[in-house]
Amino acid sequence: MLLQGKTVVVSGVGTGLGHRVAEAVVRDGGNAVLGARTGANLVKTAAAIDPAGTRTAHLATDITDEAQCAALAALAVERFGGIDAVVQVAAWDSYFGGLADADFATWQGVLDVNLLGTLRMTRACLPALRAGGGGSVVFIGTQSAVAAPTQVQQAAYAASKGALTSAMYSLARELGPDRIRVNTVLPGWMWGPPVEAFVRFTAQAEGVDEEVVLARLTSRTALPDLATDGDVADAVAFLASPRARAITGQSLLVNAGELMR
C-alpha cells in the first residue's frame, strides 16, 4: 500500500494512462482527485475505480486555465484535507509532423498545454504540498524527447516534453528545501488505447496482421513485450510515494529496454 492515506491529484484522466494512474492510486491505498477537460471521462473512471465514491473526487479541468487549476487543488484540500502528490498526465499529443510542415501557432498551443499547463497545475498545488510538509510531483514525459522515434513524427510534442524535463531540474532545486520532490517518467511505446489504435490503423493501411506491426515495435526492445500503461502507472505510484523519498530531479524510462541510458 504505497500510498496509504495519501491524496494524489491526477490531471489528464481519460481512457488511457490517466485512468491507470488514478486506478493505481486507489489500489495502493490513496485518495485520487481527478481532473480532465472531459467530465464524462472523470465520472466513468471514478465509478470504475471507486464504486463507493469515498476515495475519489473529480472536477472538469483545463490546465491552460489558471482558475480551473486552482479549483482542482482546492477540491483536494476541501475533500481530503490536503495534497501529498501531483501527477501530471494531461497533454496534447495528437499533433503530428516535423519542421518543414510545422504550424507554429499549433506548436504554441502544444507548449501551452504540455509545458505551461503542467506548470500551472503544479503551482496551484504548491501551497497544499508545503502545508503538508512536502510531497511529490511526477511529470509524464516521453522517450521521444531524448530519442526521436522512427515510426511517427511528433516534433512539437517531443520538444514540449523535453522542455518540461528541463524545467524539472530547476523545480527539483527550487522546491527541494520544502521537501517537495519532482521527477519525470518517460514512457516509450506504451501499450494502451493510443498505441492499440496506431497498430490497428497501420495494419489496416498496409493490409497486414496487427501482430506484424506490433513485432516491429517489440523488435527494438530488450524485453519481448511493450510496456503497458499499467506498467507506467506503477512507476508513477512509486515515485509519488514516500518509498521514493530520496529521489528527485530524475527521469525514469519505462520502455521495456528500447532505449537504455
Side-chain angles (χ1 to χ4, degrees):
M1 304 296 279
L2 290 174
L3 295 167
Q4 183 68 46
K6 304 297 184 183
T7 296
V8 183
V9 173
V10 185
S11 74
V13 176
T15 60
L17 179 58
H19 176 96
R20 293 301 180 192
V21 169
E23 182 179 57
V25 170
V26 173
R27 177 200 68 198
D28 289 351
N31 306 309
V33 181
L34 318 177
R37 290 186 302 169
T38 305
N41 287 337
L42 301 176
V43 172
K44 186 175 180 179
T45 290
I49 68 176
D50 179 37
T54 59
R55 305 261 300 283
T56 57
H58 55 82
L59 183 67
T61 306
D62 183 342
I63 62 171
T64 65
D65 186 311
E66 204 148 354
Q68 293 186 39
C69 292
L72 185 63
L75 174 63
V77 174
E78 177 186 348
R79 178 71 185 274
F80 298 113
I83 298 173
D84 300 290
V86 186
V87 181
Q88 306 285 15
V89 184
W92 183 348
D93 61 359
S94 58
Y95 175 63
F96 296 88
L99 179 61
D101 57 352
D103 173 3
F104 287 126
T106 304
W107 274 61
Q108 286 180 321
V110 172
L111 286 163
D112 193 34
V113 174
N114 296 352
L115 174 61
L116 299 180
T118 295
L119 297 180
R120 286 186 193 96
M121 190 67 246
T122 301
R123 184 166 68 178
C125 294
L126 286 183
L129 288 167
R130 288 184 171 123
S136 175
V137 176
V138 183
F139 296 152
I140 301 299
T142 175
Q143 179 179 292
S144 64
V146 293
T150 58
Q151 298 285 333
V152 296
Q153 276 192 323
Q154 282 183 298
Y157 177 67
S160 66
K161 291 294 190 176
L164 183 61
T165 300
S166 294
M168 174 197 70
Y169 299 122
S170 296
L171 295 181
R173 286 288 184 192
E174 177 186 351
L175 304 179
D178 293 317
R179 293 188 172 85
I180 298 172
R181 300 176 289 106
V182 188
N183 294 287
T184 301
V185 173
L186 304 175
W189 286 94
M190 178 178 65
W191 189 251
V195 172
E196 290 174 34
F198 169 81
V199 169
R200 187 165 53 249
F201 173 81
T202 303
Q204 291 173 351
E206 297 181 2
V208 299
D209 290 338
E210 292 180 16
E211 289 74 14
V212 173
V213 180
L214 181 58
R216 292 177 200 160
L217 303 180
T218 57
S219 68
R220 298 192 295 271
T221 59
L223 298 173
D225 303 298
L226 295 183
T228 68
D229 50 10
D231 296 324
V232 175
D234 286 343
V236 168
F238 167 69
L239 288 174
S241 79
R243 295 282 182 89
R245 64 181 297 273
I247 301 174
T248 194
Q250 304 301 318
S251 296
L252 176 62
L253 285 159
V254 183
N255 62 3
E258 180 183 7
L259 174 68
M260 303 183 190
R261 302 179 76 197

